[in-house]
């Protein structure tokens, strides 16, 4: 049995109390939501916090609300299972439901939260190993010393952000609310990430992600696509969130393509999305968009399968999503 190292445990009953605890902490404090990733990391020794703040007793972080004016608001502590079963998600955001169903296993989704998913640590097969394994190889940039074993020329860690929800939520135009004891801000989810595997969130000290807001856009077609090693349950090797709005004449008037699990932050494919604007979805256009995606994404050899294969799969996932949209328009 692998034991956890010792830490002080806090379970605040309100958001205010949680923010006060975080404001008093000077680093070395870990926020705990469902714990499905954090506890694994703590057991592997990739994270050894002195204080752990569990958010599970805070009811105000666990509410879902929907209106056509305000869209969908999800609390950071809502579990993936609760979100997937929610009637408004099923009716108005089927692509979010699709993304959730692809995550881990039913048991994990029962515990895992959306906040934890969006704040998931980055992964790398040179890093997500036991302490003994990592020490034997020589540490790396993610720990703060050593070299990058995946690409020795790198000066910034390129560990991969493997959230299955971030790409589709960015494509849907989601924003997140971040609260600290004396501040509150709402930013686009795309601005929540930076491409640095050691520190990939723009979360400030003392801040908590409290809620996710997804606008309601009638007639938006959206899809979450994923390639993984085992269909039963597994992290993505590459995923894609694709959202396109068409005019009555089936002309694309808004498009967003986001590729995940190929960098330390979701990759927004601006140019490929722009290629769709003002056009009908023809076979040639879908092929050109796919080719642009394949060229644009540049994964590192630090999770399973080869770089070239993941580039091809990124292109294939986007092409599949676009072809599905077109088929449904023709029904
Ligand atoms: C076997 C297995 C398979 C998995 N497969 C997938 C998969 O296919 N796709 C996928 O996306 N994920 C997968 N995961 C990862 C994980 O289970 C999910 O991403 C889950 O949603 C994380 O949520 P959590 O509540 O358990 O997060 P936790 O483990 O509690 O936290 C994760 C991180 O987020 C931070 N955090 C949590 N809540 C907040 C908040 N409100 N504000 C600020 N920071 C916060 C924590 O400090 C921690 O750094 C898998 C995990 C396992 C063990
Ligand atoms: S990408 Fe390089 S620096 Fe980052 S965790 Fe992997 S081996 Fe370490």
């Amino acid at each position: 049995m692998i034991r956890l190292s010792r830490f002080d445990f806090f379970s605040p009953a309100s958001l205010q109390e949680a923010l006060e605890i975080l404001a008093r902490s000077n680093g070395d404090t870990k926020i705990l939501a469902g714990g499905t990733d954090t506890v694994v990391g703590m057991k592997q020794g990739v994270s050894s916090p002195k204080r752990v703040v569990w958010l599970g007793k805070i009811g105000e972080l666990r509410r879902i609300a929907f209106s056509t004016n305000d869209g969908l608001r999800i609390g950071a502590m809502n579990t993936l299972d609760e979100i997937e079963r929610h009637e408004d998600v099923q009716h108005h955001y089927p692509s979010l439901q699709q993304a959730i169903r692809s995550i881990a296993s039913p048991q994990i989704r029962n515990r895992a939260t959306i906040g934890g998913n969006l704040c998931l640590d980055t992964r790398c097969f040179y890093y997500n190993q036991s302490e003994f394994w990592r020490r034997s190889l020589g540490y790396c940039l993610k720990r703060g010393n050593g070299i990058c074993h995946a690409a020795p020329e790198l000066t910034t860690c390129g560990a991969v952000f493997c959230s299955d929800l971030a790409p589709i939520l960015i494509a849907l135009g989601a924003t997140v609310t971040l609260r600290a004891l004396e501040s509150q801000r709402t930013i686009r989810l795309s601005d929540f990430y930076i491409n640095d595997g050691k520190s990939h969130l723009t979360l400030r000290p003392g801040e908590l992600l409290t809620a996710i807001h997804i606008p309601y856009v009638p007639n938006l077609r959206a899809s979450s696509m994923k390639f993984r090693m085992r269909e039963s349950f597994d992290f993505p090797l590459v995923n894609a969130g694709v959202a396109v709005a068409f005019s009555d004449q089936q002309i694309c008037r808004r498009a967003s393509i986001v590729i995940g699990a190929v960098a330390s932050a979701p990759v927004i494919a601006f140019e490929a999305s722009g290629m769709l604007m003002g056009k009908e979805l023809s076979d040639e256009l879908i092929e050109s968009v796919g080719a642009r995606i394949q060229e644009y994404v540049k994964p590192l050899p630090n999770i399973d399968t080869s770089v070239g294969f993941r580039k091809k799969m990124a292109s294939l996932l986007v092409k599949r999503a676009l072809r599905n949209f077109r088929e449904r328009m023709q029904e």
Side-chain angles (χ1 to χ4, degrees):
M1 186 173 72
I2 309 174
R3 287 184 186 279
L4 290 170
S5 54
R6 293 187 73 82
F7 53 83
D8 293 331
F9 184 75
F10 299 86
S11 58
S14 69
L15 180 56
Q16 178 68 18
E17 198 188 329
L19 296 175
E20 283 169 10
I21 296 168
L22 291 175
R24 284 200 306 269
S25 307
N26 49 351
D28 250 354
T29 300
K30 189 80 178 160
I31 294 165
L32 184 70
T36 58
D37 195 62
T38 301
V39 174
V40 178
M42 285 169 70
K43 287 206 164 189
Q44 283 181 326
V46 297
S47 153
S48 316
K50 296 228 163 36
R51 281 168 299 276
V52 171
V53 183
W54 181 53
L55 307 179
K57 287 191 182 162
I58 309 177
E60 58 204 289
L61 291 180
R62 204 166 175 172
R63 286 187 198 134
I64 302 180
F66 171 78
S67 73
T68 48
N69 278 343
D70 298 334
L72 184 69
R73 183 244 184 232
I74 307 175
M77 283 300 288
N78 278 109
T79 66
L80 302 185
D81 183 63
E82 284 164 353
I83 302 164
E84 196 237 311
R85 287 166 186 266
H86 198 274
E87 219 175 41
D88 291 312
V89 174
Q90 295 183 355
H91 282 144
H92 304 295
Y93 301 90
S95 57
L96 175 58
Q97 200 189 20
Q98 186 189 11
I100 291 176
R101 284 187 179 156
S102 78
I103 295 175
S105 62
Q107 290 90 337
I108 291 176
R109 295 199 294 270
N110 206 20
R111 181 101 205 137
T113 65
I114 187 168
N117 190 278
L118 296 179
C119 297
L120 201 59
D121 195 8
T122 54
R123 303 177 65 77
C124 168
F125 61 39
Y126 295 100
Y127 190 75
N128 294 91
Q129 304 287 350
S130 67
E131 166 65 18
F132 173 77
W133 196 100
R134 283 179 292 129
R135 190 171 1 106
S136 307
L137 185 69
Y139 295 114
C140 68
L141 301 175
K142 185 158 161 99
R143 191 178 184 267
N145 51 1
I147 58 154
C148 174
H149 304 295
E153 71 281 6
L154 285 188
T155 51
T156 311
C157 166
V160 187
F161 180 53
C162 289
S163 158
D164 274 312
L165 295 188
I168 186 63
L169 288 175
I170 292 174
L172 292 173
T175 56
V176 282
T177 299
L178 309 170
R179 290 271 311 267
L181 191 57
E182 297 197 342
S183 68
Q184 170 167 337
R185 59 191 177 117
T186 296
I187 59 170
R188 286 184 301 193
L189 180 58
S190 52
D191 294 335
F192 188 49
Y193 302 108
I194 41 175
N195 192 23
D196 177 347
K198 186 172 186 311
S199 176
H200 68 302
L201 303 179
T202 55
L203 204 62
R204 297 173 186 153
E207 262 184 347
L208 263 184
L209 190 160
T210 55
I212 296 94
H213 313 261
I214 314 166
Y216 173 66
V217 183
N219 300 324
L220 185 74
R221 288 173 194 267
S223 188
S224 170
M225 308 293 285
K226 171 171 179 177
F227 167 61
R228 55 186 153 177
M229 197 59 102
R230 293 169 294 187
E231 274 302 306
S232 53
F233 75 99
D234 225 333
F235 279 96
L237 295 173
V238 54
N239 59 19
V242 184
V244 184
F246 295 94
S247 70
D248 292 342
Q249 290 72 36
Q250 304 193 345
I251 301 294
C252 167
R253 53 181 178 81
R254 171 187 157 170
S256 180
I257 301 175
V258 184
I259 310 294
V262 289
S264 304
V267 173
I268 305 179
F270 289 109
E271 209 184 304
S273 310
M275 288 166 72
L276 293 166
M277 297 299 287
K279 305 211 182 90
E280 255 184 84
L281 274 186
S282 63
D283 279 338
E284 298 71 35
L285 180 59
I286 293 174
E287 281 305 316
S288 315
V289 168
R292 185 69 196 104
I293 295 282
Q294 185 165 338
E295 203 174 63
Y296 186 57
V297 299
K298 298 195 165 41
L300 286 176
N302 56 358
I303 57 176
D304 282 331
T305 73
S306 73
V307 165
F309 190 59
R310 282 163 68 212
K311 281 167 79 74
K312 268 194 197 150
M313 288 309 294
S315 157
L316 192 75
L317 295 181
V318 172
K319 288 196 289 186
R320 271 191 197 154
L322 295 175
R323 282 197 204 110
N324 287 344
F325 296 160
R326 195 181 52 183
E327 275 162 28
R328 275 189 269 151
M329 281 194 294
Q330 288 163 350
E331 278 168 9

